[in-house]
Amino acid sequence: MSQQIAEESYRRINHYANLKFSTHHTQILTNQTPFWRLANFKRYCFNPVNNIDIVPQELQDAYFTSMSGLVTGLVFAGVPAGRLSRENFIRRSASQAFHHRALAVKGAHNAFIRAFGRHGFKFGWRCGIVIATQQLVTTSLWVSQDRLSLWHPLAGISVAGFLYRLPLGPVAACVTSLLATVMLGVPTCATYYLIYNYTSRYTSAENLRRLYFLKQLNCDTSEYEFVA
């Protein structure tokens, strides 16, 4: 059963990825303004009845990238802090006498867990917010322009870096934005380029979104529908 569902999902993605709209429908989509696309994209993502019956790829990307940033920050900040706290506990407790070895081990583990949770979460939610901001800006530009360009993720990185350091002042925000764009721009753009050109995910997401826009404009889209 699960294999059949996976095969049907794969065929559906390939169908929408290879979809070719007619010249008339393409012209209709081109004539819409970026603000109209963004407004209907909001309804497309959060309307429970979107006539597509699948979770939009844009929402999936926003969720998984934010969670990956949260977990990455949690691990990279929490593990070193936890190890340092455990070593400090062992050093402080070297001259103390415990009734049982298990109490000493429990104290060391508790010190690790407390530091892991405190410092890991403090850094992890920041990473999640920064990556979510970058994804939000990139997706908004992608939807408004109706096509993904390499400068979209660059703009997302710049805005995310600027907002992250804005509480420290405009100078710090601009410097952080510039450094983030220079250091992270190439790998991020390369990732988007590879996914966009060598997989069907983003092409399928674009065509599904355009199909929904055509339905909002009361166009006949029966010829583009997927038949299981």
Side-chain angles (χ1 to χ4, degrees):
M1 185 65 180
S2 59
Q3 184 178 359
Q4 294 178 353
I5 295 176
E7 291 178 354
E8 181 177 349
S9 176
Y10 177 76
R11 285 188 283 108
R12 174 179 293 198
I13 291 175
N14 283 339
H15 168 77
Y16 288 117
N18 298 321
L19 206 60
K20 301 297 182 183
F21 292 98
S22 65
T23 305
H24 174 65
H25 287 158
T26 302
Q27 187 63 36
I28 292 177
L29 292 172
T30 304
N31 292 337
Q32 307 308 315
T33 63
F35 296 103
W36 183 91
R37 296 192 188 103
L38 288 174
N40 282 272
F41 175 70
K42 179 182 177 181
R43 286 191 286 269
Y44 168 63
C45 288
F46 299 106
N47 187 0
V49 184
N50 57 12
N51 299 322
I52 300 296
D53 297 329
I54 63 174
V55 178
Q57 185 66 47
E58 296 85 357
L59 280 186
Q60 296 183 39
D61 289 346
Y63 174 78
F64 286 116
T65 53
S66 301
M67 288 299 103
S68 63
L70 175 63
V71 173
T72 302
L74 183 68
V75 172
F76 274 84
V79 171
R83 294 182 60 182
L84 180 61
S85 179
R86 185 184 61 181
E87 292 172 358
N88 291 336
F89 174 82
I90 294 174
R91 191 183 308 106
R92 291 194 309 268
S93 305
S95 59
Q96 297 180 8
F98 292 92
H99 293 289
H100 196 277
R101 183 175 181 272
L103 295 177
V105 174
K106 180 181 178 180
H109 287 173
N110 288 340
F112 178 89
I113 293 172
R114 284 195 300 268
F116 178 85
R118 182 170 61 251
H119 296 282
F121 181 76
K122 185 188 299 183
F123 187 70
W125 74 264
R126 287 182 171 88
C127 290
I129 291 296
V130 168
I131 294 178
T133 303
Q134 186 269 335
Q135 189 69 30
L136 175 64
V137 174
T138 302
T139 303
S140 300
L141 292 172
W142 176 19
V143 172
S144 64
Q145 300 296 318
D146 200 32
R147 183 167 180 80
L148 185 65
S149 300
L150 290 181
W151 69 270
H152 294 164
L154 287 178
I157 294 173
S158 300
V159 173
F162 182 86
L163 294 179
Y164 179 69
R165 287 298 184 183
L166 187 58
L168 299 180
V171 176
C174 293
V175 171
T176 304
S177 175
L178 180 61
L179 289 177
T181 304
V182 172
M183 297 176 61
L184 303 177
V186 174
T188 304
C189 288
T191 302
Y192 274 92
Y193 177 82
L194 292 175
I195 295 176
Y196 189 83
N197 289 278
Y198 295 99
T199 67
S200 303
R201 292 179 57 192
Y202 283 176
T203 308
S204 176
E206 276 187 349
N207 289 335
L208 277 170
R209 189 170 63 243
R210 291 164 181 165
L211 187 62
Y212 178 78
F213 289 168
L214 288 174
K215 290 180 179 180
Q216 293 298 106
L217 295 168
N218 297 321
C219 296
D220 183 16
T221 60
S222 57
E223 59 180 305
Y224 306 125
E225 297 293 344
F226 172 75
V227 179

